[in-house]
Amino acid sequence: MTLRLSRFTTLALCILAALILVPLAFRHGWVWFPAIFAVLLSLLGLWDLNQPEHSIRRNYPVIGHIRWFAELIRPELRQYLFEADEEAAPFSRSQRSLVYRRAKDLAGDHPFGTLLDVYRDGYEFIGHSTRPVPASDPASFRITIGNEQCAQPYSASIFNISAMSFGSLSANAIRALNTGARMGNFSHDTGEGSISPYHREGGGDIVWEVASGYFGCRDDQGRFDPERFARQAKEPQVKMIEIKLSQGAKPGHGGILPAPKVTPEIATTRGVPVGQDCISPPSHSAFSTPLEMMGFIAQLRELSGGKPVGFKLCLGHPWEFMGIVKAMLESGVVPDFIVVDGAEGGTGAAPVEFSDHIGLPMREGLLFVHNVLTGAGLRDKVRIGAAGRIVSAFDIASVLAIGADWANAARGFMFALGCVQSLSCNTNRCPTGIATQDAVRQRALVVPDKAQRVHRFHANTVHALADMLAAAGLSHPSDLGPHHLVRRVSTTEIRLFSDLHVFLEPGELIDGRCQHSFYRRNWDLARIDSFDRAA
């Protein structure tokens, strides 16, 4: 009986307060507010006692709501009060603060030594030289993307904006990102949502991502439309074409933009009906084998007027990628670039199992792609980009050291726009106006100011990379190799990445010299006529 009374004490006190305060309110007007409040709480408690959905509220009327309130503000309490500076969820406070400072052009230095535990397993660093060189001009940190099959090679920055679609991001976010890209002379990937008017407003270089929904280049049945593709691909602002096979956020999973979010401008941009679910299938309909994929790449290159064409993927079955590389050798069609996305995830919302347990992490995928292209004798013809939780100069240096030619960042540039990692991207209630289509919410994002921040974040990060390279005795990011990157593997041992990983020799997969069982076995399983492995 005592336990039961304690569970209902709050409700009983609310009812008692209402019975006392309401009569008093007729004599003292100022009592009306607490009286009404007590009545409302009493009615809420009576409703809690009888509602069928929540057991806690039936057992703890009124006071049971504290649990839901605590859950509601738990992310904010954790982020601002309890989270450690180096605790990633998925980005640490230190990482976010670094981006904020660089975006605002504030000093990035901090006093009193590193906050990192340099003796923990997994700690990484770049080895420095006893003969450092003067820092190079960051404006020179560019690479040419486009092999001999490409008529319009692109000179790209080694740090660019990764794929984020209009629809996932607001119009103002797209405006600010693309304007910042123009100011800093780097590129902006459209994501699979196609090229919106807001991409065009900024005038920045565009990498057009063509995904399985063929948004912006599809017919009424959702199939690839060559004429619609050619019209947009030939625009001068479009510098490269990227075929999306899969993405780190949800590899192997299609997508859906719910009907209420398919506004007239999103429908126009994507080429879909207004107010209907916008479906992105898991796989492409334009090709179904590695050889057919090479034909599709050749077709896009021709339709675009000879612009660089490549593809993006999060690695899954190793024999599938090897089949694609075998198809390059068989057909003679070689893509200009490959972007390796990582299972670390991205800006897109995804089922928990896909976020946590599907896809290869970026570094392993990058190393695999680099090795297979090298072993097939194609590495000098194909540039490699890397995307996956990159926000700092060291992040860029670490992927360049193990095989990438350039790095892309999505969430890093979202932080530059003012993202506070509220983890509400999929709710349309983004508090900073970035990941929402709510016109009132996105009004908070002032485009000229945020474009400057995007520009400054890029410029200051690349400048920091120049300083790191100079300390290592290097003049250009392309000089980085796995022997420059060091990892602690135990409390008493560190090892160079060149000793930690296998690196294939040029051509050894095709001339029979490969002695590494994993690569040799999967190369034998790879087929050009199917993505399935050989029997």
Side-chain angles (χ1 to χ4, degrees):
M1 177 63 69
T2 303
L3 180 61
R4 185 180 303 171
L5 288 175
S6 66
R7 288 193 282 112
F8 300 132
T9 298
T10 302
L11 174 59
L13 291 174
C14 289
I15 294 174
L16 179 62
L19 292 174
I20 294 173
L21 293 174
V22 169
L24 284 175
F26 286 99
R27 284 185 273 175
H28 307 284
W30 61 271
V31 181
W32 273 115
F33 178 77
I36 292 174
F37 187 63
V39 170
L40 291 176
L41 287 179
S42 301
L43 293 174
L44 177 65
L46 294 173
W47 167 257
D48 288 340
L49 281 174
N50 293 283
Q51 56 81 33
E53 297 176 356
H54 301 288
S55 301
I56 288 179
R57 285 165 51 195
R58 285 173 68 90
N59 273 333
Y60 298 90
V62 182
I63 200 171
H65 286 271
I66 292 177
R67 174 182 181 272
W68 276 269
F69 178 73
E71 282 194 348
L72 181 67
I73 63 172
R74 179 181 180 273
E76 287 77 12
L77 289 174
R78 174 179 172 82
Q79 181 176 355
Y80 293 110
L81 296 179
F82 306 118
E83 182 181 279
D85 283 344
E86 299 304 324
E87 186 179 355
F91 287 87
S92 70
R93 177 179 292 276
S94 293
Q95 288 174 308
R96 299 194 305 271
S97 296
L98 176 65
V99 177
Y100 297 151
R101 290 197 302 270
R102 286 186 171 157
K104 296 175 183 178
D105 216 12
L106 301 175
D109 304 332
H110 69 80
F112 229 61
T114 181
L115 299 177
L116 301 178
D117 178 5
V118 299
Y119 294 100
R120 66 171 173 79
D121 289 359
Y123 172 71
E124 294 176 354
F125 60 96
I126 295 287
H128 69 281
S129 172
T130 55
R131 298 185 64 186
V133 299
S136 299
D137 180 3
S140 67
F141 291 177
R142 306 191 72 80
I143 59 164
T144 299
I145 303 176
N147 55 43
E148 67 274 6
Q149 299 176 10
C150 168
Q152 300 185 54
Y154 175 56
S155 175
S157 169
I158 49 86
F159 187 39
N160 301 285
I161 302 173
S162 194
M164 294 182 284
S165 300
F166 169 57
S168 295
L169 299 192
S170 68
N172 279 359
I174 296 295
R175 284 185 175 113
L177 288 170
N178 196 262
T179 302
R182 174 183 55 76
M183 296 166 68
N185 196 21
F186 54 98
S187 68
H188 178 195
D189 193 312
T190 64
E192 68 176 285
S194 189
I195 308 170
S196 72
Y198 310 110
H199 290 93
R200 295 187 177 93
E201 276 184 31
D205 291 350
I206 287 175
V207 177
W208 181 14
E209 184 177 274
V210 176
S212 55
Y214 306 113
F215 300 127
C217 57
R218 59 187 267 147
D219 62 19
D220 293 338
Q221 283 73 48
R223 298 170 303 195
F224 177 70
D225 186 323
E227 292 184 5
R228 290 184 179 180
F229 171 81
R231 277 199 300 271
Q232 293 211 81
K234 290 182 178 178
E235 293 180 3
Q237 195 179 354
V238 177
K239 302 301 181 183
M240 301 199 301
I241 310 298
E242 177 185 275
I243 303 167
K244 190 191 90 169
L245 300 184
S246 57
Q247 68 184 84
K250 45 186 173 184
H253 191 283
I256 179 171
L257 192 65
K261 284 192 172 184
V262 185
T263 63
E265 57 184 356
I266 290 177
T268 300
T269 296
R270 298 195 176 200
V272 297
V274 178
Q276 295 184 21
D277 289 342
C278 180
I279 307 295
S280 181
S283 59
H284 281 261
S285 60
F287 57 87
S288 58
T289 70
L291 268 180
E292 289 177 0
M293 180 180 166
M294 293 306 105
F296 188 56
I297 288 174
Q299 180 186 19
L300 297 191
R301 191 181 273 144
E302 179 182 357
L303 291 170
S304 66
K307 293 180 178 178
V309 178
F311 59 93
K312 179 182 85 171
L313 81 168
C314 175
L315 261 291
H317 298 315
W319 59 84
E320 291 185 349
F321 179 75
M322 286 180 158
I324 293 172
V325 175
K326 279 187 173 181
M328 297 178 197
L329 295 170
E330 176 70 20
S331 66
V333 176
V334 181
D336 299 289
F337 66 92
I338 297 170
V339 175
V340 180
D341 207 1
E344 292 88 336
T347 57
V352 172
E353 290 82 0
F354 278 76
S355 293
D356 292 347
H357 301 293
I358 296 287
L360 202 64
M362 182 264 288
R363 284 194 180 182
E364 283 74 15
L366 169 61
L367 182 62
F368 179 76
V369 168
H370 172 71
N371 267 336
V372 174
L373 290 174
T374 301
L378 295 172
R379 184 62 183 88
D380 60 334
K381 301 178 185 298
V382 184
R383 294 289 196 178
I384 300 178
R389 204 174 286 179
I390 292 173
V391 295
S392 73
F394 176 76
D395 295 336
I396 299 172
S398 65
V399 297
L400 299 182
I402 60 174
D405 293 299
W406 86 90
N408 289 340
R411 289 171 289 183
F413 281 100
M414 287 180 68
F415 291 139
L417 289 175
C419 170
V420 295
Q421 196 169 270
S422 67
L423 305 183
S424 57
C425 304
N426 59 327
T427 67
N428 208 36
R429 296 194 297 272
C430 172
T432 57
I434 298 171
T436 179
Q437 295 305 305
D438 185 316
V440 176
R441 286 178 179 270
Q442 66 175 287
R443 178 183 172 276
L445 196 158
V446 180
V447 173
D449 175 66
K450 297 304 187 288
Q452 285 282 359
R453 293 192 182 193
V454 168
H455 173 212
R456 289 193 293 255
F457 168 58
H458 176 273
N460 288 327
T461 301
V462 177
H463 186 276
L465 177 63
D467 288 341
M468 288 189 72
L469 293 175
L474 307 175
S475 299
H476 193 275
S478 60
D479 298 330
L480 275 165
H483 54 286
H484 293 116
L485 187 61
V486 189
R487 183 184 182 92
R488 178 170 291 284
V489 295
S490 74
T491 54
T492 59
E493 184 182 7
I494 60 173
R495 295 179 68 184
L496 303 180
F497 266 63
S498 55
D499 298 326
L500 274 175
H501 297 290
V502 171
F503 290 89
L504 300 189
E505 295 295 325
E508 69 172 280
L509 280 173
I510 54 178
D511 62 17
R513 289 182 292 120
C514 182
Q515 297 301 309
H516 194 279
S517 60
F518 171 79
Y519 284 96
R520 188 176 65 249
R521 183 174 64 253
N522 282 288
W523 183 258
D524 292 339
L525 292 173
R527 300 167 54 181
I528 63 173
D529 62 336
S530 172
F531 285 105
D532 294 331
R533 66 179 190 168

